[in-house]
Amino acid sequence: MKALVLQQQDDQLTSKVITIPTDQLPTGDVTVDVHWSTLNYKDALAINGKAGIVRKYPMVPGIDFSGIVHHSEDPRFSIGQHVLLTGWGVGENHWGGLATQARVPANYLTPLPQHLTLRQAMIIGTAGFTAMLCVNALQDAGITPDKGEILVSGASGGVGSTAIQLLSQLGYEVTAITGRAENTEYLQQIGAKKVLPRAQFSSPAKPLDKQLWAGAIDTVGGEVLANILAQTQYNGAVAACGLAGGFSLPTTVMPFILRNIRLQGIDSVYYPAEKRAAVWQQLAQLLPESFYSQVTSEITLEQSSEYAEKLLKNQITGRTLVNLLQS
């Protein structure tokens, strides 16, 4: 098998695509021939040795993959079955998807939903799965399209892009926040009605500001999230799923106790296995065919380290798909 392998020696991190015996794969019930993987922000951090993402070395990064079952010791999965994986600490403490094969516990896998290809599943990936959970959280909080505009931060990234498309398909009016003005046309193509500069949300937030948004999906954290909370309408809700802009939250209790606002944290890594198939079915039904071409760049395994650096420098738009069939 071929894999991107991270090694650390004397505090020096190396990342290199090498060929290794498949018997080096970690323990697990199911071995999968990986066809597609992705590059996520967490993958970029891991490949560049940032934020303590990787817990042990050597490590094969890649928090997502899709492929075909090669061998199974679990009756829920059979040889030749199409499957996908997101989360579960794969690529952090268990070898992940930036390889031509992966071996994982059966509980980590989800059968590929009807009407999705393996390639489409990875265009969605963790980013899209997280976006769907965020949209569901807003709906669970009673935020319907008639309540007002929905704000999406980090809009040019994978979660933001998918969230905009999902919300648009469901009839919401979406305003996007981006630090890259050159992406305005792209964001409008996938469903944003308005695009605002991130600088408008980067200054220290007031405890309360004008009530502008019925709800929001925030992928950034920090001052951006604080400003969003201050501008959320009475009875509004904000789904928070990222911390690219920092893990602190410089705000007060005032938006919560004076405007009855709900802040819902979203975790997709350990989302219960038995609930995942339903979320994937929602994604398969809601995302239009155009989405898969509009948001996607495709690279080879050998390009993963180069593109991981670009991702950390905010030079990537949408989703980066890794083609393992060419490796």
Side-chain angles (χ1 to χ4, degrees):
M1 58 176 278
K2 189 182 283 189
L4 177 66
V5 179
L6 307 181
Q7 297 270 17
Q8 189 175 54
Q9 188 171 9
D10 300 327
D11 293 326
Q12 289 292 111
L13 179 72
T14 61
S15 61
K16 190 179 296 185
V17 176
I18 59 175
T19 300
I20 54 178
T22 55
D23 61 12
Q24 290 189 22
L25 285 166
T27 58
D29 308 306
V30 185
T31 303
V32 178
D33 292 325
V34 180
H35 286 202
W36 303 94
S37 187
T38 65
L39 271 185
N40 298 278
Y41 188 71
K42 188 179 284 187
D43 297 316
L45 291 172
I47 292 169
N48 287 278
K50 306 288 188 181
I53 296 296
V54 175
R55 315 295 173 82
K56 57 184 179 181
Y57 294 92
M59 178 57 61
V60 175
I63 64 172
D64 297 347
F65 66 77
S66 65
I68 297 175
V69 173
H70 179 86
H71 174 76
S72 177
E73 297 175 3
D74 188 287
R76 290 173 292 178
F77 296 97
S78 56
I79 294 172
Q81 185 174 0
H82 290 208
V83 294
L84 63 90
L85 179 146
T86 63
W88 301 110
V90 169
E92 301 173 65
N93 51 43
H94 188 102
W95 283 17
L98 290 176
T100 55
Q101 277 198 335
R103 184 182 295 138
V104 296
N107 206 45
Y108 290 5
L109 294 170
T110 300
L112 186 74
Q114 284 187 330
H115 312 303
L116 271 190
T117 66
L118 291 171
R119 186 177 187 275
Q120 288 172 332
M122 282 301 98
I123 293 172
I124 297 169
T126 283
F129 187 76
T130 304
M132 191 75 253
L133 295 180
C134 289
V135 172
N136 288 344
L138 295 185
Q139 291 181 318
D140 290 345
I143 310 301
T144 50
D146 60 295
K147 296 292 175 62
E149 294 178 59
I150 305 297
L151 190 66
V152 177
S153 70
S156 296
V159 177
S161 294
T162 315
I164 289 169
Q165 184 76 89
L166 290 168
L167 289 164
S168 176
Q169 290 294 113
L170 289 165
Y172 291 89
E173 186 169 327
V174 184
T175 296
I177 302 173
T178 183
R180 300 168 62 190
E182 67 272 19
N183 283 342
T184 296
E185 184 177 349
Y186 160 77
L187 295 170
Q188 291 171 336
Q189 285 175 349
I190 61 174
K193 296 294 184 183
K194 290 188 291 188
V195 180
L196 300 176
R198 185 173 60 206
Q200 192 172 314
F201 295 82
S202 299
S203 300
K206 300 175 183 178
L208 291 175
D209 210 331
K210 291 182 180 179
Q211 300 184 52
L212 300 175
W213 322 110
I217 293 174
D218 174 63
T219 72
V220 179
E223 294 288 0
V224 172
L225 177 55
N227 276 283
I228 290 171
L229 290 168
Q231 296 176 13
T232 300
Q233 297 172 8
Y234 190 89
N235 263 349
V238 177
C241 64
L243 42 70
F247 54 77
S248 64
L249 183 54
T251 189
T252 72
V253 299
M254 292 178 70
F256 308 106
I257 63 175
L258 296 183
R259 289 186 179 165
N260 208 41
I261 288 168
R262 176 187 299 187
L263 175 60
Q264 176 69 56
I266 302 296
D267 169 64
S268 64
V269 177
Y270 296 107
Y271 192 76
E274 65 274 12
K275 295 182 178 181
R276 289 181 177 238
V279 178
W280 278 100
Q281 199 57 52
Q282 285 181 289
L283 287 158
Q285 292 170 349
L286 282 172
L287 291 172
E289 193 67 31
S290 59
F291 169 81
Y292 300 104
S293 58
Q294 288 175 318
V295 306
T296 309
S297 300
E298 187 175 314
I299 65 172
T300 64
L301 180 61
E302 287 75 13
Q303 294 174 292
S304 297
S305 294
E306 173 193 350
Y307 275 74
E309 287 191 29
K310 290 183 178 182
L311 186 52
L312 291 185
K313 293 176 181 177
N314 196 29
Q315 296 173 351
I316 300 293
T317 298
R319 297 286 288 144
T320 302
L321 188 66
V322 184
N323 186 343
L324 278 306
L325 295 170
Q326 293 182 350
S327 298

